[in-house]
Amino acid sequence: MRNKLHRWGPPILLIAPSAVLIGVFVYGLIGVNFNTSLTDNIRGQTTGYVGLENYTTLFSDDTFMYSLRNLAIYTLAFLAGTLFFGFLWAWLLERGVRGEGIFRTVYLFPMAVSFVASGVVWRWLLNSNTGDSASGLNRGLDMIGLGFLQNSWWTDETWGIFAIAVPAIWQLSGYIMALFLAGFRGIPEELREAARMDGASEWKLYRHVIFPQLSPVALSAIIIIGHMSLKVFDLIMAIAGQTNYTTQVPATQMWIAFTRGEYSVAAAIGTIMLLVVAVMIVPYLVHNYRAERNR
Amino acid sequence: MRRTQAIAALAVVGLTLSACGSDDGESTSGGGGGESGGEVEVFTWWAQGSEKAGLDALVKVFEEQNPDFTFVNGAVAGGAGSNAKNVLQSRLQTNDPPETFQAHAGAELTDYIEANQVQDISAMYEENGWNEVFPQDLLDLLTVDDAIYSVPSNIHRANVVWANPSVLQKAGIDPSTPPASMDDWIAQLEKLKASGVTPLSIGMDWTQVHLLETVLLAELGADAYTGLWDGSTDWASSEVGAAVDTYAQLLSFTNTDRQNLDWPDATQQIIDGKAAYNVMGDWAEAAFQEQNQKFGTDYVTFPVPGTDGTFDFLADSFTLPVGDINTAGTEAWLQTIASPEGQKAFNLAKGSIPARTDVDASEYPPYQQTAIESFANDTIVPSLAHGAATPVAWLGEITAAVSKFSADGDVEGLKSGLVDAAEKNLES
C-alpha cells in the first residue's frame, strides 16, 4: 500500500493542478456548452430542455448549410495552398538557393502579422469593383495586362470563400515551409548517399527515402492548418464583416446567434464546430497512440 | 522517427491549447455597487469621433450639475455597438450592471425589459415633467405596456438623401427641386447612370437595410410602415412586395463594391463627386462638416422621395438597470441627460438634435435646424436598421435576408426571407 503511494503519489500530485484546470475550464465548459445547446436559452432565460431541436433547426437552415459548405471549401483551399507553397519553398531552399536566410525570413514574416491586421489590408486589396472603378488587386491585374482575371472576390456567391483563403495561405505558407525545412534537415545525409550508391534516381530517392521521412511533418502540418481553418473567424470579421452572406462560416453564424441573444443556438453551433474539429484530430491521436504502443 | 512524431504531436497539442487560451477578454472598469453616492459608471459604445466628443461634453455638464458624483467611463469600442452589447449582456447576467447603459430607444429595449434587466422610470418622467417636454409621438414609441424604461439623449433622422449638386447639374438635373416621388427619383437615377457616375452610393449590409427601410416607408406610408412592426401590415401583401421590387431596382443603381464599404466610404463618394446620391442617417452631417463642405452649395439634403412629412427617427437613450447599483447616481445622470443644458451640450458636439422640443433651434447649424423643425412637425416613425422598430433578433434576420440578396440578387428569396422573419418574430 505504502509502496504504491510512493510510486503513484508524486506523479499524481504533479499532474493534478493541470488536470483539474483543464477538467474544469475545458471539458467542464464543453459539457456546460452542450447542456445549453439542449435548452431554449434566450439571453440567459430558459424554460427547459428542448432535446435536439436546435440541431435539427440548424441542419434544415439553408444559411447554416451554406456556411458548412463554405467551411469545407475554405479548409480544402487553405490546406492545398499552404501545403503546396510551403513544400515548394522548403524544397527550393533545401536545394540550396542562395540567400536562404533572407528568403526564410521573408516567407515566415507574414505569420507575425495578426489575421485582423492583415484582414484590414486585404479588405481593400480584395475590392470587388471591376473595370474603370477597380481598386486593389483588380486594379493591379488591370495594370499588368491581366484585366481578364478581375473578379468580384469574396462577394461572389459560389466561389467567394476562396478569396478568404488567399490571405490565409499567404500568411501560413511560411510556417509550413519552416516545418518542412526542419523535416528535410532531419533526414541524415547518409540515407541519401546510401540511396544514391544503390543507384536510385533523383525521383526514386524522393519517392522512397525522403517522402516517407517527411510524412509525420506533413501530417502535423495538415492537423495544424486544418484545425486553424475550421476555426476561421477573425480573418472573415476583418475582411467581410459579421453579416456578409457570401463569407458565412459556422463561427460567424455562432457570433450572430450569440449577438441576437439566441444562446442555445450559438451553443449548438459551437458543439457542431467542436465535433468537426474532433473528426479531424481524433483519428490522428488514435493513430499516434497505436503507433506508440506497437513499438 | 519516434522523436519526430512526438514533436509533431506536441506541436499540435501546444497549438490547440494556445488557441483555447488566447482570449484575453475585455477589461471593464469595475465601478458601481457603491452606496456612498460616489461613482457613476456609464456604459456606452461612444469611444471615438463625434460620439466621444458628445460624451465628453455631457460629462462636463454632469460634473457641473452633480459635483458629488464621479463619472466612470465604461465605454466599449467597436462593431457599431455590437461588441459593447455582448459585453453588457454578460455583465447583466453575472449581476454586475453599470449604473446606466446606452441602448437604442424603442423596440430594442424590449429584450432588456423582458429579461427584467431594466426598471420602469415613468415616475421620474412625471416628477420632472418630461412628459411635456418630449414630443408625444416619441413618448408613445418609448412606452411599453404603459411604462417607460429609458431617457432619450439625442435624436437622429434616418430618411435623408445626401446629394452632390454639381454632379446632378452635369447630368442635367436641377438640384434645387428634389424628386417628388420614387418614380421621379428612379428616372433621375437612370439619367445619372447614363452620365457615367454612380447614381446611388451604398455600403455594407446594415446600410442596405437602412435603404430598404426608407423605401418601405416611402411606398407604404407612415401608418402602414409602422404597422409592419406590430403585425397590422401584412408582409406578404402585394404592396410590400412592390416596395421590395423598388428596393431591388434602386440597388441596381449602386456601386458594385457595396459589400466592401462602410457608411463613411459611401458618403465620401458624394463629397468626392464620384456618386450623386446617398441615403444615410443625419450623422453623415459630421462627415460633411469635418471636410468643410457647405450646406446648400457643396451638398444638399432632402427627405427620401415619398417620405416628406415623415421623420424616421432613432435615438440613443439611457436606462436604470436592475441590481446592485448606485441608484442616486443613475438618477443624477438621467436628470443631466434630460436637462436642456445636457441635451444642448451633447447634441451640439455630436451633430444630432435634442429630443426635447423646447429648444432654441437658432443655436444649431443649418442642417440641424431643418431636422429640429421636421422633428417638431412631422409624423415620427421608428427606424428599423437602428433598433427603434424591432427587437435585435428580428433585425438580425432581416439583415441576413438583405445580405443574401446583395449576393444572389434573388428578389423572391428576399421577399420570402422578410415574410419568414416577420412570422417568426411576431408569433413569439
Side-chain angles (χ1 to χ4, degrees), chain A residues 43-44 123 126-129 154-155 157 220 224 231 242-246 255 258-260 263 284 288 295, chain B residues 2 5 8-9 12 15 19 82-83 86 89 93 111 205 256-257 259-260 392-393 396-397 403-404 407-408:
Chain A
R43 284 177 204 285
R123 177 189 174 94
L126 297 175
N127 185 293
S128 56
N129 265 351
W154 51 266
T155 55
E157 196 197 357
S220 28
I224 290 166
K231 293 188 303 194
Q242 49 185 310
T243 52
N244 181 59
Y245 178 72
T246 52
W255 175 256
F258 180 73
T259 306
R260 277 186 206 164
Y263 290 0
Y284 170 74
N288 251 15
R295 240 172 291 225
Chain B
R2 190 178 166 151
Q5 249 182 6
V12 169
L15 267 170
S82 65
N83 293 355
N86 286 340
Q89 207 39 257
Q93 277 177 25
D111 296 324
D205 314 313
T256 48
D257 63 345
Q259 292 298 127
N260 301 58
V392 179
E397 273 162 50
S403 169
K404 186 165 188 287
D408 64 13

Side-chain angles (χ1 to χ4, degrees), chain B residues 215-247:
Chain B
V215 175
L216 285 170
L217 179 59
E219 300 276 273
L220 301 173
D223 287 342
Y225 169 81
T226 313
L228 287 169
W229 317 121
D230 59 17
S232 56
T233 304
D234 183 9
W235 278 86
S237 67
S238 57
E239 289 82 12
V240 176
V244 175
D245 287 334
T246 309
Y247 165 74

Side-chain angles (χ1 to χ4, degrees), chain A residues 49-235:
Chain A
Y49 287 93
V50 293
L52 293 175
E53 197 186 301
N54 290 320
Y55 293 90
T56 49
T57 318
L58 278 175
F59 283 108
S60 58
D61 175 20
D62 289 344
T63 307
F64 185 70
M65 295 312 285
Y66 177 72
S67 78
L68 279 177
R69 161 203 173 273
N70 272 352
L71 185 66
I73 294 181
Y74 174 80
T75 302
L76 288 178
F78 190 18
L79 269 177
T82 46
L83 286 179
F84 175 77
F85 286 109
F87 184 81
L88 184 72
W89 294 343
W91 183 69
L92 289 174
L93 291 185
E94 155 73 6
R95 305 280 291 177
V97 175
R98 275 212 284 172
E100 186 198 318
I102 296 173
F103 281 113
R104 225 171 32 201
T105 316
V106 165
Y107 289 143
L108 255 179
F109 208 63
M111 205 180 81
V113 185
S114 85
F115 269 142
V116 173
S118 75
V120 171
V121 177
W122 281 96
R123 177 189 174 94
W124 177 81
L125 281 174
L126 297 175
N127 185 293
S128 56
N129 265 351
T130 54
D132 293 337
S133 51
S135 62
L137 274 188
N138 277 346
R139 180 71 166 273
L141 287 171
D142 195 44
M143 283 162 75
I144 56 172
L146 294 172
F148 61 92
L149 280 177
Q150 290 188 350
N151 66 78
S152 55
W153 301 113
W154 51 266
T155 55
D156 186 88
E157 196 197 357
T158 317
W159 306 114
I161 196 71
F162 270 121
I164 301 292
V166 171
I169 292 169
W170 170 74
Q171 276 195 269
L172 264 298
S173 291
Y175 177 60
I176 301 304
M177 174 203 73
L179 282 185
F180 275 121
L181 206 53
F184 274 124
R185 298 281 145 86
I187 300 169
E189 195 56 40
E190 297 83 43
L191 284 180
R192 297 175 191 231
E193 278 167 9
R196 289 204 183 98
M197 291 282 278
D198 289 343
S201 68
E202 200 66 354
W203 162 246
K204 277 193 173 149
L205 172 69
Y206 274 95
R207 170 72 188 79
H208 297 290
V209 179
I210 311 264
F211 286 165
Q213 300 265 347
L214 286 179
S215 66
V217 177
L219 191 61
S220 28
I222 289 175
I223 301 285
I224 290 166
I225 295 297
H227 95 280
M228 280 183 76
S229 152
L230 294 171
K231 293 188 303 194
V232 61
F233 176 71
D234 37 8
L235 193 59

